[in-house]
Amino acid sequence: MDMEASLPALIVLSSLVPGLAIFFLREQSHRLRTLLNLSGALLKFALVAFMIWGVFHERVFETRWTLAPGLDLVLHADALSVLFVTLSTVLWLVTTVYAIGYLEDSPHRSRFFGFFSLCVTATVGVALAGNLLTFVIFYEFLTLATYPLVAHRGTPDAIRGARIYLAYTMAGGVLLLIGAVWLRALAGPLEFAQGGILGDIDGLDPTALTVIFFLLIAGLGVKAALVPLHGWLPQAMVAPAPVSALLHAVAVVKAGAFGIVRVVYDVYGVEFAAVLGLLPGLGLAAAVTIIYGSVKALSQDHLKKRLAYSTVSQVSYIALGAAILGPLATVGGVVHLVHQGLMKITLFFAAGNYAETLGIHRVSEMDGVAQRMPATTLAFTIGALGMIGIPPVAGFVSKWYLGVGAVQAGAAAWVLPVLVASSLLNAAYFLPILYRAWFKLPSASWQHRHPATGRQESPGALMWPPVVTGALALAAGLFAAAPYSPLEWAELIAAREYRQ
Amino acid sequence: MTNATLLLATWLAPLVAIPLALRATGRWWVPVAALPALATALLVPVGTGVDWTWLLLGARFGLSAYDPIFLAFGAVLWLVAGWYAAVHLGADAQAARFRVFFLLAMSGNFGLIVGQDLVSFYLGFSVMGLAAYGLVVHEGDALVRRAGRIYLLMTLIGEVALFCGLAFLYLRVGSLVPAPATLAGAGGWELSLLSLGFGIKAGLIGLHVWLPLAHPAAPIAASAVLSGAMIKAALVGWLRYLPLGQQAMPDLGVGLIAAGVVTALSAVVLGVGQRDPKVVLAYSSIGKMGTLVAGLGVAAIDPEIAPAIILALSFYAAHHGLAKGALFLGVGVVKASASRWPLWLLMLPALVLIGVPLTSGALAKGQFKTAVLQAPSAWADVVVWALPLIAVGTTLLMGRFIYLMSRLAGSSADPPRPTLALALPWLGLIALGLGLAFLYAGASGFVSTDLRPLLIGALLTGLLALRCPAWLAGWIGRVPPGDLVVLLESAGQRLSARLSDFAAGVREWFRNRIANRRPAGIGRLFTLTSKAETALAEHALSGAAWLTLAGIALVLLVLP
């Protein structure tokens, strides 16, 4: 097998094989597990780096198994998949380090890291899927691989959260499957293609296409946490911090958003979707979700819950970008796939550090926390400012492209108010946290539990991941116009999605 | 050093100084960090532009048009205020935090001037705006926190308005670095949003409510740069992004003139009744910005005379920045000093601001008036008519300020500080403010000053100081700092009290009529949404089943 045909499969296998091997390790074999985890993550990193280089030089990477005539499993690397694969690979590496530090000495580590690797395998599969069938398979695989991670702690709360998660995502999966099968029956093999495929096929019934679009988006919208399908996400925050981080930034929520982008651009084609009149509905759902998530976040005192509702809101920027016809808005939506991931994973890492190091779970307990944990809090601050959309953090770039994209598409009248309201709401629920952390005197609650003076950061394995991802979020905005930046990739993708 | 290095160092030096200034021993890096900006203003020629295509969305740093003026007086102010802060602030953790925010705001202020592309400008503008919050709330008591909250809210509103305005502008001209000639053709939304964003920063009447709270709340050094330098960012923005001289904008012009004149006059009325000298100064800043905005309006109506007006505005801004900075720093010096000499010296910048002959104030006013007089429109006459009134008002405000200061001299509760070290930067600033006039007049000569408003103002001040009529004395202390915001706050409180009364009534009714065992607390948005949320979560399984059924039903419905 030559490199072109095997690379996508190798990238998927680079986490699948270590993941399966980890299941068979004894609980005590800490070193071997860490070795497997990190070598898998590093190998994937190297493979993806090679793939980026290749795609940039217009090499075509595709793995194809024919299951039955007309029924192919395809892993294919185009610009969009490379963007998502790179995001998940980089963040998986960081999260693995974090998880090793976080789960030090806790039970069931082999089970945890096994499913952890499977979860990333599924995400990478979702990213590289070359047709809708492959996408659906990995998408369902992701649901199953994540369930044990959410339930990991085994407490009644965790079990309940995981059950709710499963119920929602399975139902969403059913809708997605119905939509995909129906569309397959109408339009033949649904190989993703830039600019879409349905526009080129004659004789399709617009009503059927509309209903299928609704089914697909509803199915994907469960994972992407579109209101009112978001109910599972705030419940799933019972998961351990590294899981929440991965769940919110790369894996589950992002897979849903990525799916929406795929369906809009590479199945329907955004121009054809506009002709069918599908975009306003999607835009409305995204706008409602953006505002609703932010309003809910305002009233949460539990830090992880506030972050969870913030995810509900922020991920819909991606759907919003897809719902606005025009290359600039496309850039804004697609680049937010990466930007939201970097910023949100930073926030969840930091939240995990507060919980692990000082036992802080609530916003109201965060007074003066910056004095004790300056590095973590600095990372948290960068993430939070980015979410509000303050330059030079990456979130500003997304917001700028969505804003100018809206003006370009003549949609400024409803998109700009949504962006403005979202920015102000984000400020309203993030800035008070920053004020507490940096300006208030250390709170009695955690001072009492952890009496110490001066700095007392989390251990390195916990402290460095948020610092690294925070720096990446900053760099993605500060050097947005640099070669190989997420923005440049998003522009490359957008340029290929429009035919006129 | 090359131009590129200087331009980079202008905004980077304050950032680099942050880790150095964390320790008390590194506090002198704070004023030093402003030196590259000063060097840039003096050495880098106008028209220089250096592109860093990889930075932000493609950045250009440089100096165009009147940027060197703004950069020069800004750098001087940051330098002396930084010096003052280095002497004045202690060695505790709070002081370190102050230095961090001070340097961040400094970097933002310089960055927005040398940042020639929209994104660098916006970056500098928002970094400056947000970092200044840390300066405003430095003292940390409840009053200051209120000032901080109102400041932050208004700043954020200004920033999102600016964001939207710039988005319109970018898409219209298609470039992040719009050349002045391409700015023509701006629409109403763009102009309104930009003016809202800058109007908040400038403290236009109605949008000014944060300013009389925030500027005095900050420590002296921060007040000086807030009122002297940072407030001018609004003018930089207006001059750069309004198509002045390219396009006649009668609607915007009339709006700006009206807003500016009303701002300038009402600032006097609201300001003379204040009891805190720093609040008087804040209102005076509002008034001066109002005058500048009125001039901007004249330029917006008549593109022909725009260049003359813009030059006058830039000089006026420099003059006001230096004088206002000296006045604010003077408050600190006078308070800290046991002797009377600082109070006498404090009168110098006050006289400069009033515009007595041979000062930069007289020059700035003269030049401004000359430019406005060239304008043919009737609206320009409104400005010409208002100028003497504003001059009388300024005299009154300064009289009130000096009077209040005379009672405060040597009153500082802080432990005594080395007064001379504290006073040195201040003295330098006063000297520079006085020298500015001669520096400038060397080129254009002194213009004759209309002394009548000043004399009337002085006479009024003297009369009021000797014998203040009862009805006027009652005005003092009547208007709380921040004026409108207090009304809004109490209206808001009344409204929320009404609403909670109403909610309580509804609750009562609900309890009596329908569910007598309902827990309290229904009727709030949050509760409602939480209930919906719980319902969604609790009935996840049935909901999921419903979703599936709905999907299948939909399929069956559509399939033939």
Side-chain angles (χ1 to χ4, degrees):
Chain A
M1 242 178 16
D2 61 326
M3 202 61 199
E4 266 86 355
S6 58
L7 188 62
L10 283 176
I11 288 179
V12 173
L13 290 175
S14 66
S15 48
L16 182 63
V17 172
L20 293 177
I22 285 171
F23 279 117
F24 296 100
L25 292 182
R26 280 177 304 118
E27 201 57 29
Q28 290 79 20
S29 35
H30 174 75
R31 281 178 181 217
L32 187 55
R33 190 169 48 234
T34 305
L35 181 75
L36 271 174
N37 264 324
L38 287 181
S39 53
L42 287 170
L43 176 65
K44 188 195 287 290
F45 193 78
L47 291 173
V48 168
F50 179 69
M51 184 185 258
I52 293 174
W53 177 84
V55 169
F56 194 76
H57 290 88
E58 312 217 342
R59 288 173 73 167
V60 179
F61 299 100
E62 184 172 278
T63 311
R64 184 180 287 269
W65 295 283
T66 305
L67 300 179
L71 203 61
D72 291 352
L73 271 186
V74 183
L75 294 173
H76 179 94
D78 60 11
L80 182 59
S81 40
V82 166
L83 187 81
F84 193 31
V85 163
T86 310
L87 174 75
S88 43
T89 304
V90 171
L91 293 191
W92 184 41
L93 180 61
V94 184
T95 312
T96 304
V97 174
Y98 186 82
I100 291 169
Y102 192 88
L103 291 171
E104 199 87 30
D105 302 328
S106 72
H108 308 303
R109 273 171 293 168
S110 282
R111 184 183 78 194
F112 178 87
F113 281 106
F115 281 112
F116 194 68
S117 298
L118 291 189
C119 178
V120 172
T121 309
T123 308
V124 172
V126 164
L128 288 171
N131 61 20
L132 200 55
L133 174 72
T134 317
F135 179 88
V136 171
I137 289 172
F138 279 108
Y139 192 80
E140 293 302 307
F141 179 26
L142 178 62
T143 305
L144 300 176
T146 319
Y147 171 75
L149 294 176
V150 178
H152 180 74
R153 298 242 196 248
T155 59
D157 259 4
I159 302 284
R160 182 169 158 274
R163 210 192 62 210
I164 292 172
Y165 164 71
L166 198 63
Y168 266 92
T169 46
M170 290 303 277
V174 170
L175 292 187
L176 179 65
L177 188 65
I178 296 173
V181 170
W182 188 2
L183 192 59
R184 170 77 178 75
L186 287 182
L190 302 162
E191 306 248 334
F192 298 141
Q194 274 147 357
I197 43 178
L198 298 182
D200 296 333
I201 303 174
D202 293 328
L204 293 175
D205 175 20
T207 319
L209 289 183
T210 306
V211 176
I212 293 172
F213 187 78
F214 172 80
L215 287 172
L216 294 175
I217 296 296
L220 295 163
V222 171
K223 277 206 176 91
L226 285 178
V227 171
L229 309 174
H230 67 288
W232 62 274
L233 187 58
Q235 307 295 326
M237 61 93 209
V238 293
V243 175
S244 297
L246 210 59
L247 214 71
H248 284 257
V250 215
V252 177
V253 183
K254 212 40 87 54
F258 179 76
I260 292 176
V261 170
R262 271 287 193 224
V263 166
V264 170
Y265 290 106
D266 296 341
V267 176
Y268 279 73
V270 66
E271 285 153 320
F272 185 59
V275 170
L276 288 174
L278 299 173
L279 298 183
L282 180 61
L284 181 69
V288 169
T289 307
I290 288 172
I291 301 297
Y292 181 86
S294 294
V295 169
K296 284 297 295 180
L298 271 180
S299 62
Q300 309 300 321
D301 185 37
H302 199 288
L303 180 58
K304 279 180 80 181
K305 257 198 171 159
R306 191 176 286 198
L307 294 182
Y309 278 108
S310 158
T311 303
V312 171
S313 167
Q314 289 278 340
V315 165
S316 276
Y317 278 33
I318 300 163
L320 183 69
I324 304 169
L325 182 69
L328 289 172
T330 302
V331 171
V334 168
V335 81
H336 204 55
L337 270 173
V338 177
H339 289 168
Q340 187 271 350
L342 293 173
M343 297 184 297
K344 190 42 75 68
I345 207 165
T346 308
L347 292 170
F348 267 104
F349 283 156
N353 286 359
Y354 295 137
E356 275 301 289
T357 311
L358 297 175
I360 293 174
H361 297 278
R362 296 187 171 274
V363 172
S364 52
E365 298 166 336
M366 287 180 70
D367 292 6
V369 78
Q371 288 181 27
R372 189 69 73 88
M373 297 167 65
T376 299
T377 310
L378 190 64
F380 187 91
T381 304
I382 291 173
L385 293 179
M387 286 292 176
I388 303 170
I390 290 164
V393 190
F396 166 76
V397 177
S398 311
K399 214 165 257 188
W400 174 254
Y401 274 87
L402 287 174
V404 293
V407 177
Q408 185 185 42
W414 66 274
V415 176
L416 286 186
V418 168
L419 290 180
V420 163
S422 169
S423 292
L424 293 177
L425 286 167
N426 269 275
Y429 64 78
F430 274 125
L431 292 182
I433 303 182
L434 302 186
Y435 178 79
R436 276 178 187 280
W438 290 103
F439 288 91
K440 286 203 165 182
L441 291 175
S443 139
S445 59
W446 59 260
Q447 273 285 26
H448 180 67
R449 283 198 301 269
H450 303 270
T453 47
R455 275 169 221 176
Q456 187 200 40
E457 263 290 355
S458 310
L462 296 186
M463 189 197 79
W464 283 107
V467 170
V468 168
T469 52
L472 286 175
L474 191 62
L478 196 56
F479 306 116
Y484 289 103
S485 73
L487 179 67
E488 212 202 30
W489 271 105
E491 282 176 335
L492 187 76
I493 292 164
R496 293 177 182 172
E497 295 294 355
Y498 289 85
R499 296 173 170 192
Q500 288 147 8
Chain B
M1 270 199 284
T2 63
N3 291 337
T5 321
L6 271 176
L7 286 165
L8 188 67
T10 300
W11 56 272
L12 204 55
L15 297 182
V16 172
I18 287 177
L20 302 171
L22 280 175
R23 292 163 184 277
T25 47
R27 64 187 189 278
W28 288 103
W29 287 108
V30 176
V32 170
L35 286 174
L38 192 57
T40 301
L42 299 176
L43 300 177
V44 175
V46 175
T48 309
V50 183
D51 289 300
W52 278 294
T53 51
W54 42 267
L55 194 67
L56 297 168
L57 300 181
R60 170 179 293 175
F61 295 103
L63 293 176
S64 58
Y66 302 102
D67 292 341
I69 298 179
F70 286 91
L71 191 59
F73 80 80
V76 167
L77 274 170
W78 282 100
L79 179 78
V80 293
W83 182 340
Y84 185 96
V87 179
H88 181 70
L89 287 172
D92 53 352
Q94 260 78 21
R97 191 181 67 201
F98 180 86
R99 288 193 289 271
V100 170
F101 283 108
F102 193 86
L103 287 165
L104 272 174
M106 187 196 290
S107 172
N109 194 357
F110 295 157
L112 75 91
I113 297 174
V114 294
Q116 299 291 312
D117 61 295
L118 301 184
V119 176
S120 313
F121 173 82
Y122 184 76
L123 169 63
F125 196 85
S126 54
V127 166
M128 182 187 82
L130 291 176
Y133 172 80
L135 305 178
V136 171
V137 298
H138 175 74
E139 311 273 358
D141 58 53
L143 269 177
V144 157
R145 283 208 304 278
R146 166 168 168 268
R149 266 200 310 279
I150 295 167
Y151 170 76
L152 198 57
L153 178 66
M154 295 304 285
T155 301
L156 286 169
I157 292 175
E159 278 174 24
V160 292
L162 180 58
F163 176 92
C164 296
L166 290 179
F168 278 107
L169 173 69
Y170 168 69
L171 222 72
R172 188 170 59 79
V173 301
S175 162
L176 285 174
V177 195
T182 61
L183 285 174
W189 275 108
E190 180 188 320
L191 296 175
S192 316
L193 286 165
L194 289 176
S195 293
L196 175 62
F198 296 135
I200 288 176
K201 183 66 67 191
L204 276 191
I205 194 79
L207 308 173
H208 71 291
V209 292
W210 61 274
L211 204 150
L213 295 170
H215 283 199
I220 298 279
S223 307
V225 278
L226 270 166
S227 241
M230 289 194 246
I231 200 173
K232 305 298 187 303
L235 196 59
V236 175
W238 262 315
L239 293 181
R240 198 175 284 175
Y241 297 121
L242 291 187
L244 295 169
Q246 308 290 334
Q247 173 187 355
M249 297 168 283
D251 294 343
L252 180 75
V254 171
L256 288 178
I257 289 175
V261 168
V262 173
T263 304
L265 295 176
S266 51
V268 174
V269 178
L270 297 169
V272 286
Q274 300 299 329
R275 291 201 166 111
D276 179 347
K278 283 176 83 183
V279 177
V280 176
L281 290 184
Y283 274 104
S284 154
S285 292
I286 294 176
K288 287 298 164 199
M289 288 310 287
T291 313
L292 292 177
V293 168
L296 211 57
V298 176
I301 293 179
D302 191 356
E304 294 293 308
I305 59 150
I309 294 215
I310 293 173
L311 178 66
L313 290 181
S314 307
F315 182 68
Y316 203 129
H319 139 73
H320 174 254
L322 295 178
K324 193 49 68 70
L327 286 168
F328 266 112
L329 291 185
V331 173
V333 177
V334 169
K335 273 190 187 176
S337 158
S339 63
R340 299 290 286 182
W341 62 264
L343 186 64
W344 292 107
L345 276 175
L346 186 60
M347 290 188 187
L348 286 176
L351 290 174
V352 170
L353 200 74
I354 292 170
V356 298
L358 300 181
T359 63
S360 60
L363 273 171
K365 284 185 179 176
Q367 198 181 22
F368 183 76
K369 195 172 173 184
T370 317
V372 173
L373 277 174
Q374 294 169 21
S377 109
W379 281 96
D381 296 344
V382 175
V383 180
V384 174
W385 165 83
L387 278 176
L389 276 179
I390 296 171
V392 172
T394 308
T395 315
L396 273 172
L397 274 180
M398 284 303 108
R400 174 82 184 146
F401 169 72
I402 294 293
Y403 168 74
L404 289 171
M405 282 314 296
S406 68
R407 302 200 310 181
L408 273 181
S411 72
S412 176
D414 296 343
R417 311 253 176 215
T419 318
L420 190 66
L422 208 59
L424 262 181
W426 177 58
L427 294 173
L429 196 56
I430 294 176
L432 192 71
L434 294 174
L436 183 69
F438 293 95
L439 215 69
Y440 191 78
S444 67
F446 279 103
V447 282
S448 67
T449 314
D450 183 4
L451 283 174
R452 282 168 301 174
L454 306 188
L455 291 175
I456 295 172
L459 208 64
L460 264 177
T461 311
L463 280 176
L464 289 178
L466 287 175
R467 178 169 295 167
C468 187
W471 59 270
L472 234 174
W475 180 243
I476 288 170
R478 180 66 64 81
V479 181
D483 50 89
L484 279 177
V485 79
V486 181
L487 292 180
L488 287 177
E489 274 176 336
S490 67
Q493 273 162 12
R494 273 202 300 279
L495 186 69
S496 78
R498 285 278 163 73
L499 277 179
S500 66
D501 282 355
F502 177 72
V506 170
R507 216 155 42 221
E508 191 71 13
W509 179 85
F510 199 71
R511 198 176 292 146
N512 293 339
R513 283 292 179 80
I514 297 167
N516 8 358
R517 272 180 291 166
R518 281 277 163 180
I522 305 167
R524 292 236 187 108
L525 175 70
F526 290 156
T527 324
L528 272 178
T529 54
S530 311
K531 288 190 75 174
E533 236 9 67
T534 324
L536 274 176
E538 288 298 334
H539 303 293
L541 284 172
S542 59
W546 183 87
L547 200 65
T548 316
L549 280 179
I552 293 170
L554 202 62
V555 174
L556 292 176
L557 212 68
V558 178
L559 280 182

Tab-separated table of all heavy atoms in Angstrom, chain A residues 27 33 103-113 152-153:
chain	number	residue	atom	x	y	z
A	27	GLU	N	-3.957	-2.256	36.123
A	27	GLU	CA	-4.145	-0.912	36.649
A	27	GLU	C	-2.822	-0.271	37.073
A	27	GLU	O	-2.621	0.925	36.957
A	27	GLU	CB	-5.091	-1.019	37.854
A	27	GLU	CG	-5.799	0.250	38.236
A	27	GLU	CD	-6.624	0.867	37.113
A	27	GLU	OE1	-7.117	0.135	36.244
A	27	GLU	OE2	-6.739	2.109	37.102
A	33	ARG	N	1.323	2.384	30.317
A	33	ARG	CA	0.128	3.062	29.816
A	33	ARG	C	0.471	4.469	29.329
A	33	ARG	O	0.068	4.903	28.256
A	33	ARG	CB	-0.918	3.115	30.926
A	33	ARG	CG	-2.280	3.578	30.428
A	33	ARG	CD	-3.350	3.378	31.473
A	33	ARG	NE	-2.927	3.885	32.749
A	33	ARG	CZ	-2.925	3.170	33.872
A	33	ARG	NH1	-3.341	1.918	33.864
A	33	ARG	NH2	-2.514	3.701	34.994
A	103	LEU	N	-5.629	12.179	36.657
A	103	LEU	CA	-6.161	10.922	37.185
A	103	LEU	C	-5.130	10.134	37.969
A	103	LEU	O	-5.331	8.966	38.271
A	103	LEU	CB	-6.703	10.078	36.037
A	103	LEU	CG	-7.952	10.653	35.393
A	103	LEU	CD1	-8.305	9.899	34.146
A	103	LEU	CD2	-9.115	10.626	36.371
A	104	GLU	N	-4.006	10.787	38.265
A	104	GLU	CA	-2.994	10.187	39.125
A	104	GLU	C	-3.661	9.459	40.294
A	104	GLU	O	-4.418	10.053	41.047
A	104	GLU	CB	-2.102	11.313	39.662
A	104	GLU	CG	-0.780	10.893	40.196
A	104	GLU	CD	0.264	10.820	39.102
A	104	GLU	OE1	0.146	11.590	38.120
A	104	GLU	OE2	1.158	10.008	39.206
A	105	ASP	N	-3.399	8.171	40.427
A	105	ASP	CA	-3.849	7.406	41.600
A	105	ASP	C	-5.355	7.222	41.704
A	105	ASP	O	-5.833	6.789	42.743
A	105	ASP	CB	-3.379	8.063	42.923
A	105	ASP	CG	-1.873	8.175	42.951
A	105	ASP	OD1	-1.223	7.301	42.363
A	105	ASP	OD2	-1.356	9.151	43.511
A	106	SER	N	-6.130	7.582	40.690
A	106	SER	CA	-7.558	7.298	40.822
A	106	SER	C	-7.838	5.937	40.169
A	106	SER	O	-7.055	5.478	39.340
A	106	SER	CB	-8.386	8.398	40.178
A	106	SER	OG	-8.273	8.298	38.781
A	107	PRO	N	-8.933	5.287	40.561
A	107	PRO	CA	-9.182	3.937	40.056
A	107	PRO	C	-9.607	3.912	38.589
A	107	PRO	O	-9.969	4.946	38.022
A	107	PRO	CB	-10.324	3.435	40.960
A	107	PRO	CG	-10.991	4.673	41.444
A	107	PRO	CD	-9.935	5.714	41.535
A	108	HIS	N	-9.575	2.732	38.019
A	108	HIS	CA	-10.066	2.467	36.647
A	108	HIS	C	-9.356	3.295	35.593
A	108	HIS	O	-9.984	3.788	34.663
A	108	HIS	CB	-11.566	2.737	36.541
A	108	HIS	CG	-12.365	2.029	37.578
A	108	HIS	ND1	-12.337	0.655	37.744
A	108	HIS	CD2	-13.209	2.496	38.539
A	108	HIS	CE1	-13.131	0.324	38.736
A	108	HIS	NE2	-13.669	1.412	39.260
A	109	ARG	N	-8.047	3.433	35.725
A	109	ARG	CA	-7.372	4.268	34.740
A	109	ARG	C	-7.261	3.592	33.385
A	109	ARG	O	-7.309	4.236	32.352
A	109	ARG	CB	-5.981	4.664	35.251
A	109	ARG	CG	-6.030	5.917	36.095
A	109	ARG	CD	-4.733	6.164	36.745
A	109	ARG	NE	-4.456	5.127	37.724
A	109	ARG	CZ	-3.280	4.943	38.302
A	109	ARG	NH1	-2.285	5.720	37.982
A	109	ARG	NH2	-3.102	3.993	39.192
A	110	SER	N	-7.093	2.260	33.397
A	110	SER	CA	-6.988	1.573	32.107
A	110	SER	C	-8.271	1.714	31.315
A	110	SER	O	-8.261	1.997	30.121
A	110	SER	CB	-6.678	0.089	32.326
A	110	SER	OG	-5.320	-0.057	32.629
A	111	ARG	N	-9.397	1.549	32.024
A	111	ARG	CA	-10.673	1.695	31.338
A	111	ARG	C	-10.793	3.114	30.787
A	111	ARG	O	-11.153	3.321	29.628
A	111	ARG	CB	-11.799	1.437	32.343
A	111	ARG	CG	-13.174	1.478	31.717
A	111	ARG	CD	-14.238	1.283	32.758
A	111	ARG	NE	-14.462	2.510	33.515
A	111	ARG	CZ	-15.149	2.549	34.658
A	111	ARG	NH1	-15.650	1.459	35.189
A	111	ARG	NH2	-15.335	3.705	35.289
A	112	PHE	N	-10.422	4.062	31.624
A	112	PHE	CA	-10.549	5.455	31.217
A	112	PHE	C	-9.725	5.739	29.968
A	112	PHE	O	-10.227	6.241	28.957
A	112	PHE	CB	-10.113	6.374	32.356
A	112	PHE	CG	-10.181	7.824	31.989
A	112	PHE	CD1	-11.363	8.522	32.155
A	112	PHE	CD2	-9.090	8.479	31.447
A	112	PHE	CE1	-11.447	9.857	31.808
A	112	PHE	CE2	-9.175	9.808	31.087
A	112	PHE	CZ	-10.352	10.498	31.270
A	113	PHE	N	-8.432	5.406	30.022
A	113	PHE	CA	-7.576	5.772	28.891
A	113	PHE	C	-7.896	4.964	27.640
A	113	PHE	O	-7.702	5.438	26.523
A	113	PHE	CB	-6.108	5.648	29.278
A	113	PHE	CG	-5.639	6.818	30.078
A	113	PHE	CD1	-5.416	6.711	31.435
A	113	PHE	CD2	-5.461	8.053	29.473
A	113	PHE	CE1	-5.008	7.807	32.175
A	113	PHE	CE2	-5.050	9.152	30.209
A	113	PHE	CZ	-4.820	9.031	31.566
A	152	HIS	N	-17.648	7.888	34.081
A	152	HIS	CA	-16.444	7.339	34.686
A	152	HIS	C	-16.438	7.326	36.204
A	152	HIS	O	-16.066	6.333	36.830
A	152	HIS	CB	-15.216	8.100	34.181
A	152	HIS	CG	-13.934	7.584	34.756
A	152	HIS	ND1	-13.385	6.401	34.357
A	152	HIS	CD2	-13.124	8.066	35.728
A	152	HIS	CE1	-12.272	6.177	35.041
A	152	HIS	NE2	-12.087	7.177	35.881
A	153	ARG	N	-16.867	8.409	36.830
A	153	ARG	CA	-16.808	8.493	38.281
A	153	ARG	C	-17.716	7.482	38.970
A	153	ARG	O	-17.500	7.163	40.128
A	153	ARG	CB	-17.192	9.891	38.746
A	153	ARG	CG	-16.273	10.971	38.260
A	153	ARG	CD	-15.600	11.652	39.425
A	153	ARG	NE	-15.006	12.911	39.013
A	153	ARG	CZ	-13.688	13.133	38.976
A	153	ARG	NH1	-12.839	12.176	39.313
A	153	ARG	NH2	-13.221	14.297	38.595
